[in-house]
Each structure stands twice: as structure tokens, then as C-alpha cells.
Amino acid sequence: MGTKTTCRRLIRAPASQMLMVACIFMLLVESSAGSKARHFKWDVEYVFWSPDCVENVVMGINGQFPGPTIRAKAGDTVVIDLTNKLHTEGVVIHWHGIRQFGSPWADGTASISQCVINPGETFTYRFKVDKAGTYFYHGHYGMQRSAGLYGSLVVDVEDGKKEPFHYDGEFNLLLSDWWHESVHHQEVGLSSNPLRWIGEPQTLLINGRGQYNCSVAAHHGNSSSSQCQLRGSEQCAPEILHVLPNKIYRLRIASTTALASLNLAIGNHKMVVVEADGNYVTPFAVDDLDIYSGESYSVLITTNQDPSNNYWLSVGVRGREPKTPQGLSVLNYRPNSASKLPASSPPTTPAWNDYAHSKSFSNKILALMGSPKPPKNYDRRITLLNSQNKINGYTKWAINNVSLTLPPTPYLGSIKYGLRHAFQQNSPPESFSNDYDVMKPPVNPNTTTGNGVYILAMNTTVDIILQNANALTANVSEIHPWHLHGHDFWVLGYGEGKFDPKKDEKKLNLKNPPLRNTAVIFPYGWTALRFVADNPGAWAFHCHIEPHLHMGMGVVFAEGIQHLTKIPQEAIACGLTGKMLMTANHN
Ligand SMILES: *[C@@H]1O[C@H](CO)[C@@H](O)[C@H](O)[C@H]1NC(C)=O
Ligand SMILES: *[C@@H]1O[C@H](CO)[C@@H](O)[C@H](O)[C@H]1NC(C)=O
Ligand SMILES: *[C@@H]1O[C@H](CO)[C@@H](O)[C@H](O)[C@H]1NC(C)=O
Ligand SMILES: *[C@@H]1O[C@H](CO)[C@@H](O)[C@H](O)[C@H]1NC(C)=O
Ligand SMILES: *[C@@H]1O[C@H](CO)[C@@H](O)[C@H](O)[C@H]1NC(C)=O
Ligand SMILES: *[C@@H]1O[C@H](CO)[C@@H](O)[C@H](O)[C@H]1NC(C)=O
Ligand SMILES: [Cu+2]
């Protein structure tokens, strides 16, 4: 079945002439059982909001923060007409975890998959959600994710199929961190010499809700802050999780933090981890769960505790010396009152630098039996050294000595049309020199900014070794959660120090490695990933810490772009591809 839609769209050309582009495209509606198109109309705009009881300017969608939750079934096509109502800046939205098979222009990465949507313009994101799981979406231009542009995306199994576990109800917990300083202020600080670091967040948010300068748990006598005076209807009032006794609930947990690595725990309740980044894992039980920015998990909890009590759900900072109070919510057994505060204090977050605890958790994550297995061998191995450097006095993050600065023309279009001046044509380095000491603060005069691309041969198996190192300060190496667009990868293993092919190769797990889209590198350690370059497009691979990406911590992969028959004009009507289209349309 097919329907034809004609669209007429005003595209603002760089030279400010208005150019009418009429586009005709086929809207293919799947006729397979039960799957359908789900339409959304969104306006992105700044709104006044009080995420942590302090009023601020927040990037909202349809007047709402966080943005609306998208709910779809595997196989559905999601269609979002996104209108930019920001007045003074462009916008794009990335659908985090959706691989965008056959729709790489809908990945929502500025300068990579598309041009930014200018103020007043509407861009239609149309993509298939092909795999059930817990996902989210967020801005991917400048630091708009830090400004609050995010929301949840949940994909249910298709009709007639079942999840490999049972549950009676579910909750969605989108975790984030929040600063009172505006994102523009943060961005200028990061781009200044000397660097003005953004510092630790003021507040942790659960579903966009947190409390600054007061605590919902203050009666436990701990915090210096006072008891929050909340009625429950405030924008900052915690969302209560109402449950019934002796049931199983699925908590879908996703982290879209700008900076914080988090740990989540629920008083008295164990959690059984069943899903990671939209892939099933072999279930395992934990008391607390580490989650890095860009990751998602599903856990099952059984409500088998004393129903006359309420229980804290706490979220705290790991991996950086915390200066931010825990984020809190309450688990309430119906029909008892939710206003009665829990009897015990909130679960304590493990020490921020207890990396053994974090590694033990990461190593428990293994694919569920029957999941796709990695190819036995790789065709190409790229080793990516993560280092912090000074470039002309500016503090930057670099990958193999190159700090990423995105070009004005999106790679998807410039590669497709062979516009060689759009970005550096030499491939970035495949590895770093053997004598680089990852333990010592580097003096690295050879670091530069750059925008070259790793061109991957179609359908080849690519191994990535992410190598952590010392930052500019002695004895400091940070956590970096790396997120890949357009693919899931297998996490083959984590190790300490410099990756040594002779010694470490045989430790890689090729039997049941988990498939994910985000994986962390621990301080001074390495992480080995494998994926198949089977999705034509231009794909970002980057640290999911927003200020780190802003400081250059990312690379770009591209594969099979020549196999794409047509890229919608509205995705690439800027920069050199914009000029090319203008010429073509005049002829
Ligand atoms: C924080 O709380 C204290 C005492 O409750 C109050 O004096 C102060 O003004 C508050 N600060 C902010 C920024 O709300
Ligand atoms: C009180 O707060 C501090 C710091 O936020 C934390 O280390 C400590 O575990 C808390 N104590 C209790 C009883 O919650
Ligand atoms: C990066 O710079 C360091 C120090 O200048 C040098 O040892 C190393 O070989 C360089 N790596 C690459 C990939 O150019
Ligand atoms: C920097 O790069 C140049 C040219 O590749 C090389 O000769 C020099 O040794 C490098 N410097 C360091 C410190 O690695
Ligand atoms: C890549 O693999 C897919 C699936 O096996 C196949 O359909 C496609 O033709 C292959 N493309 C190339 C360029 O080899
Ligand atoms: C860094 O660690 C080493 C070894 O643990 C120690 O000898 C050195 O004093 C430390 N340096 C600083 C600046 O803390
Ligand atoms: Cu990072």
C-alpha cells in the first residue's frame, strides 16, 4: 500500500534569499501485520520552567519539559514534524539507540546527518523503530541537550510477540543533571582560554524533577538543607512510583546527563537487569546499578516488602567527586498513603571512586542466549587514544591527536556528492604511537583540530579499541561513555592500562558479549568493541559527556553512502550541498 504526499517547503538559503523547493516523496506505509505510522507535531521553544524548584529557561517541546514520551511498537514508522520556534538558533533531534536503517538523514546530528533546522522551519523526521527497547531522544546541536532538549522513546514488542520476561506494570525513569548557569554561559566558558569549566550540576533530575536547596529526605537529619515544602503539584515535586504488593514491575531507566555518571538504588528492593540499550541481557540481580550518560537499562523489581512502608529510590553521582545531592523519588505501595515518608534513609550511593564496584557491574552484563553473535574476526582495527590537550592554549579533548570540529556542510551530503572541499580528505590516524605513556600527563605539541572521516568498507567488521589516558592534570583519568550512531556494537571486554594485542586479544569475549550502543572506558583502561559496517550513512561516534563532545571528543564514521539512492533535499540544503542544490534547481 502506498500514499503520495506532496510537500512544499520554504528553505532559507545561506545568502538569505528565499528559495522554494517543492518536494514529492512517497510515504510508504507498511502493510505488514499491525505496524503503522505514528505521527507527532512538535514545536521546540524556550519555556520558563522550575525543574529543581528554581525557575529557569529550559528548552521544551510543545510547552513541556522533558519532551513528550514517544511510544511505538517494533516495526512502526515514527513521523515527527519538528518546528523550530527558538527564534535565534537552529535545532536538530537525535533518536538515541534507533539505528536508522535506510534513513540516515533522520539521525538528527547537526553537520553529520543533516543541516540544522532554522528558526521557523519544519523538518520531518521519519524512521522505522525496528527493535523493542528503552530509548530516548535529545538535541544534537551545540549543547542543546544540556539546555533540556530531551525525552523518552519506548518501543514495545510487536503484536503477537512477547518479551523474554514477565511483568505486571512499568515505569519510565529518565535521568538527567541540571545547572542554573545558562547553556550559553557554559558554552562560552568551555570555548575560552583559559577554560572555564562548568563545574558539577546543581541538581539531579528524575523525569525532569529534582529539588535544589531543600531535601525531600531532610527529616532523616542528614542534609544541611531544610525539608522541602512541596504540595506535590509543583514542576519540581518528585514523581511517586505507585505499585501494588506482590507484583513485578519493569523500570525503564535511561540517562541523558550532560556530565554525571550515576548510580541508582531502591531501598529494600533488589533489581534484576534484563535489558541494556535496547538489547536483552542474561538477567542478573543487583542492589544498585551504575548508568552512564547515553545508556539505558530495564530492571525488574518485585514488590514483596512491607506494604505499609514507603521506600526511597535514590540516584547519586559516581566517577567524579560529587558536589550534587542525591536525586530522590518514592516507591509507594497502594492503597497506602504516599505522603508518609520512608522509615529509613535513602540508599547510600557507592563511593564515587570505587571503580572496582563499577567494573564488577559492567562485567556482569552479557547477552541473552540466542542474541546475535559477533563475527569471529575483524577486517579493520582502529585504536582511539583519548587524550586531553592544549591547542593554541585552548583546552581540548583529542582522539589520536585530532580534536573534532564539525564542518558547516553535513558529511552525508558532501560524501554522497563528492564535495571534496567540504572536509579534510585524509583519513584520521588509525592508532597512536607505541611509546605514548597513557599513565603520564602528556606533553603533546602535535595535537590539532580536524574534521576527517573514517571511511569504512561496506559490510566489513570493525574493531574499535578505546584507549583511556591521563588528562592534563597529573594522576587524573576520567570516565568517558562512548556512543555510536547507526549501529549497535558488541562490547568484547574492558582492561587496565594500555591495550596489548599479544596479551589482551585472547581475553576478549566472543562467546556472549552484550550488544549495546554506548560503552564506558574506565580511568587508565581500554574497552574493545566490534561492529559490522552495514548501514549506509555518516555516523557520529563520540563521548556522550556533552562538554567533552563540545571540546572535540568524537570521530565520524561513514560507510556505503554511494549506495543511498536519494537524500531528501531538506536534510542537506545548507553549506556546499545547499549551493549545489540551488544550482541544480535553477537549471
Ligand atoms: C536556600 O535556602 C536557604 C535557607 O532555606 C535560603 O536562605 C536561601 O535563600 C536559599 N537559596 C536559594 C538559591 O534558593
Ligand atoms: C548524608 O549525606 C552525605 C553527603 O551527601 C552522605 O555521604 C551520607 O551518607 C548521608 N548520610 C545519610 C544517613 O544519609
Ligand atoms: C600524537 O602526538 C604524540 C606526541 O606528540 C606522538 O607521540 C604520537 O605519535 C602522535 N600520534 C599520532 C597518531 O599522530
Ligand atoms: C610532531 O610531528 C612531527 C611531524 O610529524 C614529528 O617530526 C615530531 O617528532 C612530532 N613531535 C612529537 C613530540 O611527537
Ligand atoms: C551488505 O550486506 C547486506 C546483507 O547481507 C547485503 O544485502 C548487501 O548487498 C551488502 N552490500 C554490499 C555493498 O556488499
Ligand atoms: C601521582 O601518583 C604517583 C604514583 O602514585 C605519585 O608518586 C605522585 O606523587 C602523584 N602526583 C601527584 C601530583 O599527585
Ligand atoms: Cu568524555
Side-chain angles (χ1 to χ4, degrees):
M1 188 177 72
T3 48
K4 267 187 192 166
T5 311
T6 306
C7 78
R8 285 178 158 266
R9 192 154 268 124
L10 282 176
I11 293 179
R12 196 174 301 160
S16 92
Q17 317 101 302
M18 300 293 269
L19 172 69
M20 269 296 237
V21 177
C23 63
I24 300 169
F25 56 87
M26 300 280 285
L27 172 70
L28 292 173
V29 179
E30 293 299 313
S31 53
S32 63
S35 62
K36 58 178 182 191
R38 294 179 192 263
H39 288 261
F40 301 86
K41 267 184 78 68
W42 286 1
D43 290 344
V44 177
E45 62 196 325
Y46 283 111
V47 295
F48 289 115
W49 203 269
S50 304
D52 61 353
C53 309
V54 178
E55 192 182 72
N56 219 314
V57 168
V58 177
M59 217 173 252
I61 296 173
N62 293 351
Q64 208 178 309
F65 168 80
T69 295
I70 294 179
R71 190 111 205 177
K73 285 205 175 91
D76 285 352
T77 299
V78 172
V79 184
I80 297 125
D81 292 318
L82 191 80
T83 301
N84 179 0
K85 296 219 165 153
L86 294 172
H87 301 291
T88 55
E89 58 191 298
V91 74
V92 291
I93 290 186
H94 167 58
W95 317 95
H96 186 111
I98 307 299
R99 290 167 298 169
Q100 303 289 358
F101 274 115
S103 54
W105 45 80
D107 192 44
T109 45
S111 286
I112 301 172
S113 67
Q114 72 170 109
C115 304
V116 296
I117 308 163
N118 283 317
E121 286 181 356
T122 300
F123 181 87
T124 300
Y125 287 99
R126 181 190 313 273
F127 54 89
K128 195 164 173 171
V129 290
D130 60 343
K131 191 153 59 72
T134 304
Y135 307 102
F136 55 103
Y137 61 83
H138 60 79
H140 216 298
Y141 177 47
M143 289 176 53
Q144 290 181 340
R145 178 160 57 93
S146 298
L149 186 54
Y150 46 75
S152 297
L153 198 175
V154 175
V155 181
D156 291 303
V157 291
E158 52 230 89
D159 288 334
K161 283 221 177 140
K162 279 200 173 127
E163 304 273 14
F165 41 82
H166 163 82
Y167 55 100
D168 303 297
E170 68 169 71
F171 296 94
N172 209 19
L173 302 174
L174 184 61
L175 311 179
S176 58
D177 44 7
W178 185 246
W179 281 254
H180 290 164
E181 206 102 79
S182 80
V183 159
H184 296 107
H185 190 131
Q186 294 179 36
E187 190 278 320
V188 173
L190 293 170
S191 306
S192 292
N193 178 10
L195 172 84
R196 291 200 210 171
W197 177 243
I198 61 169
E200 297 302 312
Q202 271 67 60
T203 311
L204 300 179
L205 307 179
I206 304 173
N207 290 344
R209 295 158 176 270
Q211 299 81 37
Y212 175 73
N213 204 17
C214 73
S215 167
V216 287
H219 76 295
H220 288 290
N222 183 25
S223 64
S224 48
S225 56
S226 54
Q227 179 87 45
C228 297
Q229 302 298 317
L230 296 172
R231 293 184 312 275
S233 53
E234 295 85 355
Q235 290 172 342
C236 64
E239 197 172 290
I240 310 292
L241 278 54
H242 298 286
V243 296
L244 291 172
N246 299 313
K247 302 267 182 215
I248 296 172
Y249 290 89
R250 176 182 193 167
L251 308 186
R252 296 177 180 271
I253 307 162
S255 173
T256 184
T257 56
L259 175 65
S261 302
L262 298 174
N263 181 275
L264 180 145
I266 308 168
N268 286 41
H269 293 75
K270 274 201 181 298
M271 301 179 280
V272 176
V273 181
V274 293
E275 180 215 343
D277 299 355
N279 293 290
Y280 299 122
V281 301
T282 303
F284 63 98
V286 287
D287 291 317
D288 62 88
L289 161 137
D290 274 343
I291 180 165
Y292 303 95
S293 180
E295 294 186 329
S296 66
Y297 289 101
S298 281
V299 301
L300 302 179
I301 61 166
T302 304
T303 50
N304 54 8
Q305 296 299 301
D306 176 2
S308 67
N309 248 329
N310 289 324
Y311 301 89
W312 292 113
L313 181 152
S314 71
V315 175
V317 173
R318 314 252 2 251
R320 306 179 64 88
E321 214 169 337
K323 298 196 174 71
T324 313
Q326 285 183 328
L328 295 171
S329 184
V330 171
L331 183 72
N332 162 254
Y333 282 62
R334 286 221 137 116
N336 296 309
S337 164
S339 57
K340 182 182 144 193
L341 285 166
S344 42
S345 46
T348 311
T349 303
W352 70 273
N353 55 359
D354 184 355
Y355 293 112
H357 187 88
S358 312
K359 290 170 190 171
S360 147
F361 177 75
S362 293
N363 284 319
K364 283 182 188 142
I365 303 167
L366 298 168
L368 186 66
M369 210 164 66
S371 305
K373 287 192 177 191
K376 285 273 166 285
N377 299 299
Y378 60 89
D379 299 304
R380 179 175 175 186
R381 174 175 280 173
I382 302 172
T383 304
L384 300 175
L385 172 70
N386 291 228
S387 67
Q388 196 186 31
N389 308 90
K390 291 272 175 116
I391 301 181
N392 302 327
Y394 293 88
T395 305
K396 297 280 185 189
W397 288 96
I399 306 307
N400 292 349
N401 295 352
V402 182
S403 183
L404 181 66
T405 43
L406 292 170
T409 307
Y411 293 106
L412 186 64
S414 56
I415 295 174
K416 168 77 187 165
Y417 296 105
L419 306 178
R420 303 175 65 86
H421 298 297
F423 61 92
Q424 290 170 348
Q425 295 296 301
N426 52 325
S427 184
E430 296 278 304
S431 65
F432 59 100
S433 84
N434 231 343
D435 51 22
Y436 190 97
D437 185 349
V438 300
M439 304 304 286
K440 283 233 182 74
V443 181
N444 194 350
N446 277 353
T447 304
T448 58
T449 55
N451 59 23
V453 175
Y454 294 93
I455 304 284
L456 309 176
M458 190 63 191
N459 287 346
T460 54
T461 301
V462 179
D463 270 19
I464 303 293
I465 310 291
L466 287 164
Q467 178 66 58
N468 211 340
N470 207 115
L472 284 169
T473 312
N475 293 350
V476 171
S477 181
E478 295 182 22
I479 277 183
H480 304 286
W482 277 77
H483 170 62
L484 178 60
H485 292 231
H487 311 80
D488 286 338
F489 48 63
W490 289 275
V491 184
L492 303 184
Y494 304 89
E496 311 287 327
K498 202 193 292 192
F499 181 80
D500 176 353
K502 280 193 218 78
K503 170 166 72 66
D504 294 322
E505 188 87 52
K506 50 181 176 286
K507 287 191 223 151
L508 300 181
N509 174 13
L510 299 179
K511 205 176 102 238
N512 57 354
L515 267 171
R516 307 201 63 165
N517 60 54
T518 305
V520 71
I521 38 171
F522 291 109
Y524 300 110
W526 54 262
T527 299
L529 312 174
R530 178 168 295 181
F531 68 97
V532 179
D534 57 0
N535 190 7
W539 308 111
F541 180 47
H542 62 92
C543 175
H544 210 261
I545 292 177
E546 189 88 319
H548 288 185
L549 173 59
H550 197 70
M551 294 160 77
M553 201 165 205
V555 298
V556 177
F557 296 136
E559 73 229 26
I561 290 180
Q562 67 278 13
H563 298 299
L564 294 169
T565 47
K566 193 167 180 343
I567 298 172
Q569 291 194 2
E570 58 171 353
I572 53 169
C574 67
L576 297 177
T577 39
K579 282 195 187 130
M580 183 199 76
L581 292 174
M582 232 191 300
T583 314
N585 287 333
H586 279 302
N587 289 345

